[in-house]
Amino acid sequence: MHITTSSLLTTLFTLASAHAQVQPRAFPNAPDGYTPKGSDCPSNRPFIRSASSLSTNETSWLRTRRSNTIGPMRDLLGRLNIAGFDAESYFSSHLGNMSALPNIAIAASGGGYRACLNGGGAMQAFDSREENSTAVGHLGGLLQSSTYFAGLSGGGWLVGSFYVNNFTTISGLLSANTSSVWEFENSIFEGPATSKLQIFDSAHYFDNIYNDVGDKHDAGYNTSVTDYWGRALSYQLVNASDGGPEYTWSSIQLQDSFSNADSPMPILVADGRAPGEKIIAGNTTVYEFNPFEFGSWDPTTFGFAPLEYIGSNFSNGALAEGEDCVRGFDNVGYVMGTSSSLFNQFLLQSNSTSIPQFAQSFITKVLSAVSSTDNDIAQYQPNPFYGYHNRTSRVAQSRVLSLVDGGEDLQNIPLHPLIQPNRHVDVIFAVDSSADTDTYWPNGTALVATYQRSIDSSSNLANGTSFPSIPDQNTFVNLGLNTRPTFFGCNSANTSTITPLVVYLPNYPYTYHSNVSTFDPTYNTSERNSIVLNGYNVATMANGSANASWPTCVGCAILSRSLERTGTAVPDVCNQCFQQFCWDGTLNSTLPAGGSAGYQPPYRVGPVVGASGGKKSAAGRAGVPAVAWMLALMAAISCI
């Protein structure tokens, strides 16, 4: 079956300019551009708090947010054709007890631009502000019904694009009428085209980045390649001149869309790397950034710092009298870059013969400041958790906190913040754009990693969290669990504590082979839009055309834990959904035919007529020549 461009692509992406404009951004509230700067502290001096509960800020925000999800959720469930369920009556009966009603979260995996765009398609499907998203078979309103929205690496770019641009829409990010966001035809290693001669545009671009990072270094702060990476990302993701060097992640809390609790809470994830550690193991400490705080729920660090003041010189959980309160360290690009420290992965994917000789000197210069095992880090110095929880913390005696890409521990879907018992999440829609197979499709590795961590009694990192049972990767492929949506944790009685139900949404070729390389840095408009459209179809099962029961079953997944809490009978149609989409515990761990390299899934619907057909898929180019060009330009600039 073929789909014409006019019937789908045009409908989704050719929107009225007023409807699709990127909204005003987060606040440019850093005191000195990209450079952190100290000033007098507020009367209530910031401190490091224990992770034994939610912060007072999050608790207060949640009271409003949970209330604000009721209307959109009631409308969504009322549209999803759940026979035997009256959404209006159910919500009216339980408005006096908000904890009885569903608590939804969304998680967007890592995977570079592939993850950003594929996840973007899912968010377009879930957003009731998007054109046609609330039609029959569509899932618009799920985003508005959610309490949390977590991302890491490329999925973090998606989350950041939404919130740094004032909770805009995907159509707004894609619109040709906006200024500079999500324009990926020019590689991040070239910079935006602002004149007719790209070499001069690139020189200006790298000059700005080099100067911004240099100013931070000159102010006494350690810098790493993540500083360069984060500043470069900002030019593509932040709708502001020069990539918005003065915009901070903590300023999201000042936006009306967030302060009024009209949008879910954005969370980014990064992994800690203990001093001397070379390989990121499954028992590494996982850190999160939300608009209020930065820290970890793990029993190692088990604490949170106020994000706005993360650059301050905390010691033993306190900020001594006389110490300034430093603001501006949480630059939005640096936070997104920390969660996606892919810059050096481009270099690590290459070898010396791949990079022209003229760039070798600058590569050596950039990496000489860190050891060969530290070339993908983000450095947080001073370490806000210095002297904090000395008995359990792996970094309590280190002046520097080193963080790396949130997927390096194989938990490439940011589930960790969403399974914390204090957040009481009922259902997680997990969008997986991972490149687990040799052909860059997911095979459930991220879910396996989170499950294995949750049952690892030797490390005690589970710390009260619970996660559904997950089969091995071979079973995912052999049973086709990575080719369609699958529910995990349908029967909560199988665990000793209540676990969220996980709705697994793996990337799959519905209308486009979106299995592009994580290290491919450029996408023309057709490629970009086709990946987004395919992501939309993955989330909606092609608006229900691939499975007519899917929209109804999404509603049943949302309701499942709530129906249990309220003692409400499960509608027959939901029982049918669970039979169809729940993993039933069957295992087939034999090696799939053809192995990882032979995994070539066929189209589920068919290619969009007029799209480019996935020419970059599977063996996407790594973009090393562009990296070398960038390094050479930066080397030249550094000598000016």
Side-chain angles (χ1 to χ4, degrees), residues 116 157 160-161 165 181-182 184 233-239 336:
C116 181
W157 305 347
S161 297
N165 298 300
V181 290
W182 281 32
F184 301 140
L233 282 173
S234 294
Y235 279 78
Q236 293 187 328
L237 304 177
V238 182
N239 186 32
M336 289 187 284

Side-chain angles (χ1 to χ4, degrees), residues 52-68:
S52 58
S53 64
L54 297 178
S55 69
T56 54
N57 283 329
E58 183 172 345
T59 300
S60 175
W61 177 87
L62 274 172
R63 282 193 289 268
T64 306
R65 179 58 192 163
R66 293 283 278 127
S67 178
N68 287 353

Side-chain angles (χ1 to χ4, degrees), residues 291-601:
F292 301 122
E293 295 183 308
F294 162 75
S296 178
W297 300 97
D298 287 346
T300 47
T301 299
F302 201 61
F304 283 87
L307 183 60
E308 183 178 5
Y309 301 111
I310 196 177
S312 305
N313 191 25
F314 292 96
S315 181
N316 301 310
L319 195 58
E321 291 295 332
E323 291 282 357
D324 283 345
C325 281
V326 176
R327 297 172 53 241
F329 199 99
D330 63 315
N331 171 270
V332 293
Y334 191 61
V335 171
M336 289 187 284
T338 297
S339 181
S340 64
S341 33
L342 294 172
F343 176 92
N344 283 293
Q345 293 299 323
F346 278 90
L347 299 179
L348 295 171
Q349 290 288 316
S350 67
N351 56 56
S352 59
T353 60
S354 303
I355 302 174
Q357 184 61 42
F358 66 81
Q360 294 291 331
S361 60
F362 185 67
I363 295 172
T364 302
K365 178 179 177 180
V366 169
L367 300 182
S368 63
V370 293
S371 73
S372 61
T373 59
D374 284 338
N375 52 14
D376 59 347
I377 64 167
Q379 293 189 326
Y380 283 70
Q381 186 178 17
N383 171 14
F385 303 108
Y386 179 74
Y388 188 74
H389 286 163
N390 287 295
R391 188 175 61 84
T392 59
S393 175
R394 300 164 182 166
V395 297
Q397 298 306 309
S398 175
R399 294 288 184 178
V400 180
L401 175 64
S402 297
L403 301 179
V404 297
D405 189 296
E408 286 201 22
D409 62 352
L410 299 183
Q411 294 188 93
N412 200 39
I413 304 175
L415 298 162
H416 182 268
L418 307 178
I419 62 174
Q420 297 305 317
N422 287 321
R423 285 184 167 143
H424 304 288
V425 171
D426 291 324
V427 56
I428 303 170
F429 287 83
V431 182
D432 192 3
S433 309
S434 303
D436 300 326
T437 70
D438 290 348
T439 50
Y440 307 151
W441 297 106
N443 68 3
T445 292
L447 294 187
V448 172
T450 299
Y451 171 60
Q452 289 177 341
R453 191 180 199 262
S454 74
I455 60 173
D456 182 4
S457 59
S458 63
S459 66
N460 196 36
L461 282 177
N463 201 29
T465 62
S466 182
F467 198 71
S469 294
I470 302 294
D472 60 273
Q473 292 94 324
N474 287 348
T475 293
F476 265 88
V477 176
N478 289 327
L479 300 187
L481 304 180
N482 64 332
T483 69
R484 58 174 177 79
T486 303
F487 299 169
F488 294 96
C490 292
N491 187 351
S492 63
N494 288 338
T495 57
S496 58
T497 57
I498 297 295
T499 66
L501 188 152
V502 176
V503 177
Y504 181 58
L505 300 171
N507 187 25
Y508 188 86
Y510 275 71
T511 51
Y512 189 76
H513 277 92
S514 55
N515 56 325
V516 295
S517 169
T518 303
F519 301 104
D520 196 336
T522 60
Y523 300 85
N524 64 41
T525 300
S526 174
E527 292 166 336
R528 180 197 67 175
N529 292 355
S530 295
I531 295 173
V532 172
L533 176 59
N534 190 74
Y536 192 109
N537 285 319
V538 167
T540 64
M541 295 198 78
N543 299 325
S545 64
N547 188 315
S549 65
W550 173 240
T552 297
C553 294
V554 168
C556 293
I558 291 171
L559 284 168
S560 179
R561 297 294 191 258
S562 178
L563 295 177
E564 288 183 17
R565 283 196 298 275
T566 59
T568 303
V570 178
D572 289 342
V573 68
C574 289
N575 286 322
Q576 295 167 17
C577 283
F578 297 146
Q579 285 185 332
Q580 183 176 6
F581 287 101
C582 291
W583 175 56
D584 62 4
T586 299
L587 296 174
N588 181 350
S589 302
T590 59
L591 185 68
S596 179
Y599 181 70
Q600 299 285 355

